[in-house]
């Protein structure tokens, strides 16, 4: 007499680091699909998506110009129209803020996928930042149009711009990975993140130049992880009108390395609990 037994297949991740990163590469097509899906959802068959990508930095720029330049009388960089200085800062900041905000909610937004099939969950927050950088391209086109309007052309420093773009991508992805995992385990963090980003908008050098910060506080101010990146964007796009911020540059890389190590380590530590918690 034979005994029938129910066979159950359990799909689970491999915990070895080498195996995990290999699996991440094997699922690269899923990354492309999710990233392209998010881009299509934002832009396909809609005008408001593209228009909003232009209006948001443009209207924010006007508010900063009126408040910080017209009323507060904060100076611009030497020889640079204040409008260009603000928009260059917004280009970097809004890309960072949007990427962090979207990636922090990405796991919860894709709860159905996580609970049904195994794949490296790291793909979800990484792919979710792609639309934010598409918006940044549109903002960059607006910036270049204003450069033509003001007859202000970038100098040779623009060839270094890819370095700061890479830094922006790495910082956004690293922080987004950490916050996305934190959001699954502690749901109240989804209310804290918008507040922190709102505060960051005003303490980062967007409506003003970092040079107005007293010299003795420069290192402390550069602890803000986006200071070095925003100053790098301005140095690259505004023909070196602002001196290269070496302390900010170095500290931004320190933040990138720390946030990447801590973010990925924490993400992998709690990844096994996502299906239960989400």
């Amino acid at each position: 007499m034979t005994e029938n037994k129910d066979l159950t297949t359990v799909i689970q991740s491999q915990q070895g680091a080498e195996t995990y990163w290999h699996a991440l590469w094997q699922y690269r097509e899923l990354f492309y699909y999710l990233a392209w899906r998010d881009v299509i959802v934002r832009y396909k068959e809609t005008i408001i998506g593209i228009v909003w990508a232009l209006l948001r930095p443009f209207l924010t720029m006007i508010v900063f110009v009126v408040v910080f330049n017209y009323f507060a009388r904060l100076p611009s960089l030497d020889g640079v129209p204040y409008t260009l200085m603000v928009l260059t800062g917004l280009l970097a900041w809004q890309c960072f803020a949007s990427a962090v905000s979207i990636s922090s909610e990405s796991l919860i937004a894709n709860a159905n996928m996580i609970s049904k099939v195994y794949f490296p969950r790291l793909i979800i927050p990484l792919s979710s930042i792609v639309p934010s950088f598409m918006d940044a391209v549109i903002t960059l086109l607006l910036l270049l149009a204003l450069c033509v309007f003001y007859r202000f052309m970038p100098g040779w420093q623009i060839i270094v711009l890819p370095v700061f773009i890479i830094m922006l991508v790495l910082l956004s992805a690293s922080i987004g990975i950490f916050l996305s995992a934190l959001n699954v385990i502690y749901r109240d963090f989804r209310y804290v993140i918008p507040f922190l980003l709102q505060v960051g908008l005003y303490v980062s050098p967007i409506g003003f130049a970092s040079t107005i910060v007293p010299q003795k506080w420069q290192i402390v101010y550069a602890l803000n992880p986006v200071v070095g990146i925003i100053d790098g964007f301005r140095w690259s796009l505004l023909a070196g009108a602002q001196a290269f911020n070496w302390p900010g540059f170095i500290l931004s890389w320190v933040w990138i390395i720390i946030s990447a190590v801590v973010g990925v380590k924490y993400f992998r530590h709690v990844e096994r609990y996502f299906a239960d918690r989400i």
Side-chain angles (χ1 to χ4, degrees), residues 60-105:
T60 308
M61 176 192 70
I62 292 176
V63 171
F64 272 83
V65 169
V66 171
V67 174
F68 289 96
N69 186 236
Y70 184 77
F71 289 114
R73 299 293 181 183
L74 293 181
S76 180
L77 295 170
D78 186 29
V80 177
Y82 188 84
T83 301
L84 294 182
M85 187 193 75
V86 170
L87 189 57
T88 306
L90 283 173
L91 170 64
W93 170 258
Q94 289 195 339
C95 184
F96 167 78
S98 176
V100 169
S101 178
I102 294 174
S103 60
S104 67
E105 295 280 349

Side-chain angles (χ1 to χ4, degrees), residues 9 32 55 58-59 67 69 108 113 124 162 173 236 240:
T9 301
Y32 301 144
L55 279 180
F58 183 75
L59 294 177
V67 174
N69 186 236
I108 297 174
M113 288 181 60
I124 293 180
S236 300

Side-chain angles (χ1 to χ4, degrees), residues 7 12 35 51 54 66 84 113-114 125 134 148 187 191-192 222 228 276:
L7 299 179
Q12 60 182 5
V51 172
L54 284 169
V66 171
L84 294 182
M113 288 181 60
I114 292 174
M134 294 294 293
V148 173
R187 292 299 180 90
Y191 306 108
V192 177
D276 297 326

Side-chain angles (χ1 to χ4, degrees), residues 26-36 113 117-120 123-124 127:
Q26 286 184 319
Y27 281 86
R28 62 189 181 276
E29 290 186 3
L30 178 60
F31 169 86
Y32 301 144
Y33 169 78
L34 293 176
W36 183 241
M113 288 181 60
V117 63
Y118 168 74
F119 59 91
I123 288 176
I124 293 180
S127 63

Side-chain angles (χ1 to χ4, degrees), residues 120-198:
R121 313 307 194 201
L122 202 58
I123 288 176
I124 293 180
L126 288 177
S127 63
S128 66
I129 70 173
V130 173
S132 299
F133 286 88
M134 294 294 293
D135 286 351
V137 172
I138 297 174
T139 305
L140 181 60
L141 295 176
L142 174 62
L143 175 64
L144 294 177
L146 287 176
C147 284
V148 173
F149 176 79
Y150 285 108
R151 298 182 181 179
F152 187 97
M153 292 295 103
W156 64 267
Q157 293 88 348
I158 197 171
I159 64 175
V160 189
L161 181 62
V163 173
F164 298 104
I165 294 176
I166 292 172
M167 292 175 66
L168 185 61
V169 172
L170 293 176
L171 182 66
S172 304
S174 301
I175 295 178
I177 287 169
F178 177 69
L179 293 179
S180 65
L182 210 59
N183 252 343
V184 175
I185 306 301
Y186 306 103
R187 292 299 180 90
D188 50 347
F189 265 89
R190 66 189 305 178
Y191 306 108
V192 177
I193 295 169
F195 171 75
L196 294 177
L197 291 175
Q198 189 65 34

